[in-house]
Structures are given as structure tokens and as C-alpha cells.
């Protein structure tokens, strides 16, 4: 089991550009969540996808959008990049639902630097 | 609105010492609480998960307790080692379909 995988590992962009980050969930998981983690802070929830629909969204602007594919993999898109978007972007997967553990597993993250 | 805090923000201990990390949450109606470890610049590794009906979980030298009524969880690390140096984060899930809320983390340094 490969666990949660993310690509790319590192990314450098300039202000105003657009970026797409990718995530493949752990085998058997159907729910994918994205988090932004600034240096020295805890991860901040961006949004969660289940059955190809955005189910929950955190306090992030519409420049942040996502998608989930039928195989449960997911993309995070950020438009009109700002310097403040520089962070570690983490993807987590779990099998959501009542009665289950709902244990989250995280990928290694994508380090985005905006210049 | 659920808020999660962790005390202390940073901790430095000599090797071999037992230590306790604290996590507090404002809304006691949770589904589970999870403790994670994060090495610098890396992703999060799940250490322990405590379901709302449980009081504690143990894995090796780690023991996590949960007191929902007081909104607190502790992570106990026995006989600390330099390899335990990392940031430890706690996270709470309100319902099985909800988002996970993280604390800011405790940065632990174990000195050889």
C-alpha cells in the first residue's frame, strides 16, 4: 500500500500565476481533504471532497478550487498566486462515515514557493 | 466554533525524561481526536487516534488520554529519545463527515 501520495514535491511560481497540485489517496479511502500549513503553524483546512463533490470548505477565497476524480484522486488549483500562498500544502485521505474510525492519513506535502 | 490549543508551544528535555504534551478543545462534542508527529518540512504521521467513547490509547512508549468533559487530551511520551524530536499536533473531528481542526503544535527537542 503506497499510502497517500502527492505531486510535485516542490514548486516555485511567480505572483499571478496559477498552480495545480495533485493527490492520490490511500487505497480504500474515498474522502480527500486539503490543508495549507504556513511555517510554524498548524494545518488550516481548505476543503474536503467526497464522491466528486466539495462537501466542506474552510475560510479560503475562491482562488482556491479543487476537483475529485472517479478514482478518488484529487487536484487543488490556486489562481492568481499571492506571496502569502507560499506554504506546505498537505493532502489527507480517510474513509468517512458513521461507525468507522475516520482516521486521517497524510501525504508528504507539496512545498509551494511564490516569488 | 471549535478551537484547539496546545501547551507548551515548545519544549526541550534531556534524553530519558518522561514528558506530557497538552491539547485543549473548546467543543466537547467530538467524534475522535488524533495525535500526529511532523518532522521539519515533512507530512504528518499519525501516532494515536482516540474515539469519543474511549479514554486512552497506547502505542509503544506513547500514551494518549482523552477527557471530553473537560475538553482535554494529553500525550505522554516515556523515556524520551533524540529521535522523538519533532512537532506534535493534535486534531479533533466533530462528526464523521466534518473537517478536522488542528492545534498549532508543540515543538519538542530531546537533547542527547
Amino acid at each position: 500500500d503506497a499510502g497517500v501520495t502527492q505531486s510535485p514535491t516542490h514548486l516555485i511560481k511567480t505572483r499571478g500565476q496559477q498552480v495545480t497540485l495533485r493527490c492520490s489517496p490511500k487505497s480504500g479511502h474515498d474522502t480527500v481533504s486539503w490543508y495549507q500549513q504556513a511555517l510554524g503553524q498548524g494545518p488550516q483546512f481548505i476543503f474536503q471532497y467526497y464522491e466528486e463533490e466539495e462537501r466542506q470548505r474552510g475560510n479560503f477565497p475562491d482562488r482556491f478550487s479543487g476537483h475529485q476524480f472517479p478514482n478518488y484522486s484529487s487536484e487543488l488549483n490556486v489562481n492568481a498566486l499571492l506571496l502569502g500562498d507560499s506554504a506546505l500544502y498537505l493532502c489527507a485521505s480517510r474513509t468517512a462515515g458513521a461507525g468507522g474510525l475516520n482516521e486521517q492519513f497524510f501525504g508528504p506535502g507539496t512545498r509551494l514557493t511564490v516569488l | 466554533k471549535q478551537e484547539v490549543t496546545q501547551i507548551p508551544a515548545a519544549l526541550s528535555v534531556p534524553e530519558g525524561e518522561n514528558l506530557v504534551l497538552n491539547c485543549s478543545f473548546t467543543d466537547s462534542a467530538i467524534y475522535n481526536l488524533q495525535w500526529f508527529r511532523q518532522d521539519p518540512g515533512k507530512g504528518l504521521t499519525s501516532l494515536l487516534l482516540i474515539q469519543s467513547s474511549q479514554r486512552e490509547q497506547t502505542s509503544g512508549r506513547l500514551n494518549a488520554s482523552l477527557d471530553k468533559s473537560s475538553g482535554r487530551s494529553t500525550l505522554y511520551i516515556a523515556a524520551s529519545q533524540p529521535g522523538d524530536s519533532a512537532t506534535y499536533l493534535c486534531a479533533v473531528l466533530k462528526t464523521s463527515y466534518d473537517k478536522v481542526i488542528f492545534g498549532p503544535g508543540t515543538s519538542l527537542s530531546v537533547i542527547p
Side-chain angles (χ1 to χ4, degrees):
Chain A
D1 182 5
V4 182
T5 60
Q6 291 185 244
S7 63
T9 304
H10 295 88
L11 206 50
I12 298 176
K13 292 286 188 178
T14 57
R15 280 178 296 176
Q17 284 190 310
Q18 177 266 343
V19 68
T20 297
L21 311 182
R22 296 176 176 81
C23 170
S24 290
K26 182 177 170 66
S27 177
H29 286 183
D30 57 12
T31 300
V32 173
S33 300
W34 287 92
Y35 295 82
Q36 180 194 68
Q37 187 179 27
L39 205 60
Q41 297 182 19
Q44 298 296 310
F45 175 78
I46 303 175
F47 42 56
Q48 178 188 105
Y49 277 85
Y50 172 72
E51 291 188 342
E52 302 178 53
E53 296 285 334
E54 182 183 291
R55 187 161 65 182
Q56 291 262 349
R57 188 176 183 93
N59 189 26
F60 280 81
D62 292 344
R63 297 188 297 108
F64 290 77
S65 64
H67 187 77
Q68 186 179 35
F69 299 94
N71 66 354
Y72 306 117
S73 67
S74 176
E75 289 182 349
L76 164 64
N77 301 291
V78 187
N79 295 321
L81 285 167
L82 304 173
L83 295 179
D85 295 331
S86 296
L88 182 67
Y89 288 84
L90 296 164
C91 170
S93 74
R94 73 181 201 249
T95 299
L101 283 179
N102 280 274
E103 183 175 8
Q104 286 215 121
F105 292 85
F106 280 80
T110 294
R111 171 69 63 185
L112 172 64
T113 301
V114 182
L115 302 176
Chain B
K1 177 188 172 185
Q2 179 73 275
E3 293 184 3
V4 182
T5 55
Q6 291 186 245
I7 294 173
L11 184 62
S12 183
V13 300
E15 181 178 2
E17 193 162 296
N18 302 326
L19 57 100
V20 174
L21 308 181
N22 297 290
C23 171
S24 297
F25 46 95
T26 55
D27 185 350
S28 62
I30 64 170
Y31 187 87
N32 66 33
L33 183 145
Q34 204 167 346
W35 281 94
F36 294 89
R37 168 188 170 133
Q38 186 175 33
D39 293 296
K42 305 295 186 183
L44 278 64
T45 300
S46 179
L47 297 174
L48 290 165
L49 180 147
I50 310 177
Q51 293 181 280
S52 63
S53 58
Q54 298 174 321
R55 297 282 293 184
E56 65 176 346
Q57 281 286 333
T58 298
S59 176
R61 295 182 294 109
L62 305 180
N63 176 276
S65 67
L66 174 64
D67 184 344
K68 281 201 320 177
S69 61
S70 66
R72 292 182 182 181
S73 176
T74 61
L75 179 66
Y76 175 82
I77 302 177
S80 58
Q81 303 171 357
D84 295 331
S85 298
T87 295
Y88 291 80
L89 297 129
C90 70
V92 298
L93 181 66
K94 183 176 176 64
T95 69
S96 61
Y97 292 98
D98 210 342
K99 60 187 178 185
V100 174
I101 305 297
F102 279 86
T106 294
S107 177
L108 172 65
S109 179
V110 181
I111 312 300

